[in-house]
Amino acid sequence: MSPRPKKIRHCQCKFCGRAFKPTGTPLAELEQVHLYQDELEALRLCDSEGLTQEEAGQRMGVSRGTIQRIITLARKKTATALTEGQALIFVNEDEPA
């Protein structure tokens, strides 16, 4: 039995294809952490715009629980990349990582 299909997530961020990395080190030499578009959107809505998880879920067309799971993973990835000097790569969900 195949897994349940993903619900479409409405994202306004158009930052994909870019990277955030430490200066002075070529991207090819860094370990890369992929931050997907929905994860970046959840961070933007909750942390930058100050929306509650419920409000962010309504904007993205998903449940509050889904937003909570997405934002927890996004915060972990971001913290790991920043503290360990890794590159944070912004990608679309449908692009190969």
Side-chain angles (χ1 to χ4, degrees), residues 1-7:
M1 186 172 190
S2 61
R4 184 175 169 202
K6 258 187 167 176
K7 198 171 188 180

Side-chain angles (χ1 to χ4, degrees), residues 4-57:
R4 184 175 169 202
K6 258 187 167 176
K7 198 171 188 180
I8 294 176
R9 299 170 182 178
H10 305 285
C11 300
Q12 294 179 356
C13 286
K14 305 294 182 207
F15 203 62
C16 293
R18 297 186 181 185
F20 180 83
K21 69 173 196 69
T23 58
T25 308
L27 185 60
E29 295 178 14
L30 293 170
E31 191 171 330
Q32 298 181 4
V33 176
H34 293 101
L35 192 67
Y36 293 103
Q37 188 175 11
D38 59 341
E39 295 169 338
L40 182 60
E41 180 72 359
L43 280 176
R44 184 183 72 80
L45 292 173
C46 293
D47 295 340
S48 183
E49 289 192 13
L51 298 181
T52 65
Q53 290 178 359
E54 185 70 35
E55 293 166 333

Side-chain angles (χ1 to χ4, degrees), residues 7 10-11 14 22 35 37 40 48-49 54 60 64 68 70 73-74 76 78 82 88-89 91-92:
K7 198 171 188 180
H10 305 285
C11 300
K14 305 294 182 207
L35 192 67
Q37 188 175 11
L40 182 60
S48 183
E49 289 192 13
E54 185 70 35
M60 290 181 65
R64 185 211 48 83
Q68 182 178 13
I70 291 170
L73 183 59
K76 182 176 180 175
T78 303
L82 290 174
L88 198 54
I89 310 296
V91 295
N92 280 326

Side-chain angles (χ1 to χ4, degrees), residues 66-87:
T66 299
I67 287 292
Q68 182 178 13
R69 184 177 39 78
I70 291 170
I71 203 155
T72 298
L73 183 59
R75 287 174 176 158
K76 182 176 180 175
K77 286 180 176 183
T78 303
T80 299
L82 290 174
T83 58
E84 296 181 12
Q86 300 171 343

